[in-house]
Amino acid sequence: MNMKPLVIGELTARFPIIQGGMGVGVSRSRLAGAVAREGGIGIISTAQIGYDEPDFDKHQIETNLGAIKKHLKLAKEIAQGGIVGVNIMVATKQFERYVKAACEGGADVIISGAGLPITLPELVKGFKTKIAPIVSSIRAASVILKMWDKKYKTTADFLVIEGPHAGGHLGFSKEQLDHIDELDYDTEMIGIIECKKEFEEKYNRDIPVIIAGGIFDQTDIKHAISLGADGVQISTRFVVTEECDASQEYKNAYLNAKEEDVCIVISPVGMPGRAIMNTFLKGVSEKKVAITKCFNCLEHCNPKDTPYCITKALTNAVEGNLEEGLIFCGDNVHRLEKMTTVKEIFEELVY
């Protein structure tokens, strides 16, 4: 397949493929570095990135800030000159400090969703880090681009459109996701691509658009590009690679998942998400799991009201304790058949 390089300002990736950020701990330095080395853009999830560091239980935020810099350094060593960035959720407690740590750690790009990253241009001032909001609607794209233009006299370096087939937290209502076949999402994506053109003209620069959610093979990539996208973001496929930072048990859950195992759940912070149904999810649908400790992850999480601790559930999963873990996934997870490597995925997708 003849793919054009992905150009974001002064950054050029050989291939227009971004590996999506997956937390807790699923995409850290090993995976992101390997993707960057193969010519894509590797993304580290900052969500509780320091979960396995010695001081995490006592000092979550400070530990995470140190781990961001640690994993960026490690990823860049693996990347051999490739592009490495981070995904930071707007809903993260002390979001601003996470952005600063990523910039100081040398992140080439920051991708930010789970809310509108209104202050992001101000936070990256003085750094070369490129920024992209994650949007799921024309309205969200229009709001953030107009806000950045008005407040900061700047625009996005690129956009990530995350569609309804993605994994993890989603920018859609439960009702929309329950009737996913009725969504004319191609039209929405074309509208978002159209929306950014006035800001390209105003600032005399390209704003590449990346389509995410449900991208699995060359056919999906060709379709995204036919809509006007400049590249794609892929997450689920990279989980079953040797380089993925998750445990083998976590990867096996992906390999064993059937189409009917994938479900839409409401996370403790009220956002819909896509995950693999397991003993844990069945249990929390019937009875709340007592929360004995807050791990300071998300702004709008109240431990008194939530049905379970999302940090604990995601950490259990990534470490291999699947019976007590939440396993986020994209809706193509059932198509995965075997363990592979990052290099093999690129060879399949780009040649």
Side-chain angles (χ1 to χ4, degrees):
M1 182 176 176
N2 185 22
M3 287 191 181
K4 293 180 181 177
L6 177 58
V7 180
I8 303 172
E10 310 83 50
L11 300 173
T12 300
R14 275 186 294 143
F15 303 115
I17 295 175
I18 296 178
Q19 159 256 313
M22 296 171 281
V24 169
V26 179
S27 65
R28 294 200 296 181
S29 48
R30 287 181 62 229
L31 178 56
V35 170
R37 187 179 59 215
E38 293 302 325
I41 297 180
I43 300 295
I44 295 167
S45 168
T46 65
Q48 303 294 52
I49 185 172
Y51 75 92
D52 56 353
E53 298 285 341
D55 287 343
F56 181 74
D57 272 354
K58 293 181 180 178
H59 308 289
Q60 292 87 32
I61 291 171
E62 289 75 12
T63 301
N64 285 335
L65 297 177
I68 289 170
K69 295 179 181 179
K70 168 186 169 179
H71 281 283
L72 277 166
K73 182 176 184 291
L74 290 170
K76 283 182 169 269
E77 289 170 359
I78 296 167
Q80 299 173 4
I83 301 171
V84 175
V86 296
N87 179 296
I88 308 176
M89 296 189 295
V90 179
T92 302
K93 278 190 177 177
Q94 300 193 29
F95 170 75
E96 294 81 5
R97 293 180 70 191
Y98 281 65
V99 172
K100 287 290 187 184
C103 291
E104 291 167 0
D108 296 308
V109 302
I110 292 175
I111 297 172
S112 189
L116 295 179
I118 294 166
T119 59
L120 198 50
E122 178 69 27
L123 297 173
V124 301
K125 270 187 178 177
F127 296 96
K128 295 181 179 180
T129 307
K130 305 301 180 187
I131 56 174
I134 297 174
V135 296
S136 295
S137 67
I138 297 169
R139 182 177 177 277
S142 177
V143 166
I144 197 71
L145 291 174
K146 285 179 179 176
M147 201 168 287
W148 284 4
D149 172 44
K150 183 178 180 180
K151 194 170 183 180
Y152 301 110
K153 304 294 186 288
T154 191
T155 193
D157 294 302
F158 61 112
L159 291 175
V160 176
I161 303 175
E162 192 169 81
H165 296 281
H169 288 123
L170 301 166
F172 299 85
S173 69
K174 177 77 162 55
E175 290 70 30
Q176 287 175 312
L177 295 168
D178 285 340
H179 298 89
I180 200 167
D181 294 335
E182 298 171 20
L183 289 176
D184 180 14
Y185 201 67
D186 280 6
T187 300
E188 193 76 19
M189 290 190 285
I190 291 168
I192 294 171
I193 292 167
E194 191 64 33
C195 167
K196 56 103 180 186
K197 290 181 179 177
E198 71 168 283
F199 300 96
E200 287 183 316
E201 291 173 11
K202 180 169 184 176
Y203 290 95
N204 192 30
R205 71 191 207 205
D206 291 334
I207 304 174
V209 172
I210 310 302
I211 287 179
I215 307 294
F216 193 88
D217 55 21
Q218 282 195 3
T219 300
D220 299 322
I221 297 172
K222 287 175 183 175
H223 179 66
I225 291 171
S226 76
L227 296 176
D230 301 278
V232 295
Q233 179 174 287
I234 300 172
S235 301
T236 295
R237 288 210 63 183
F238 285 114
V239 171
V240 294
T241 59
E242 292 175 10
E243 297 92 342
C244 176
D245 297 87
S247 66
Q248 187 60 48
E249 290 85 356
Y250 189 96
K251 299 172 189 181
N252 290 343
Y254 270 51
L255 291 173
N256 295 330
K258 300 179 178 64
E259 189 170 6
E260 58 268 26
D261 295 332
V262 179
C263 61
I264 300 299
V265 298
I266 302 300
S267 89
V269 288
M271 298 169 67
R274 180 171 282 109
I276 297 172
M277 179 55 70
N278 62 355
T279 304
F280 173 76
L281 283 178
K282 289 173 184 173
V284 296
S285 68
E286 299 170 0
K287 184 182 177 183
K288 179 179 175 179
V289 177
I291 298 173
T292 56
K293 180 179 179 61
C294 177
F295 290 92
N296 294 302
C297 58
L298 302 176
E299 278 290 357
H300 303 295
C301 179
N302 183 347
K304 292 180 181 178
D305 301 328
T306 56
Y308 60 91
C309 172
I310 194 164
T311 286
K312 191 65 177 165
L314 290 172
T315 300
N316 284 341
V318 80
E319 291 181 332
N321 178 7
L322 305 184
E323 295 302 303
E324 298 178 277
L326 173 61
I327 311 163
F328 278 144
C329 67
D331 74 351
N332 275 317
V333 67
H334 65 280
R335 295 175 63 184
L336 298 171
E337 296 177 346
K338 62 180 181 179
M339 286 294 298
T340 184
T341 65
V342 168
K343 185 178 183 64
E344 286 170 343
I345 289 177
F346 270 85
E347 286 174 347
E348 177 196 328
L349 295 179
V350 305
Y351 299 115

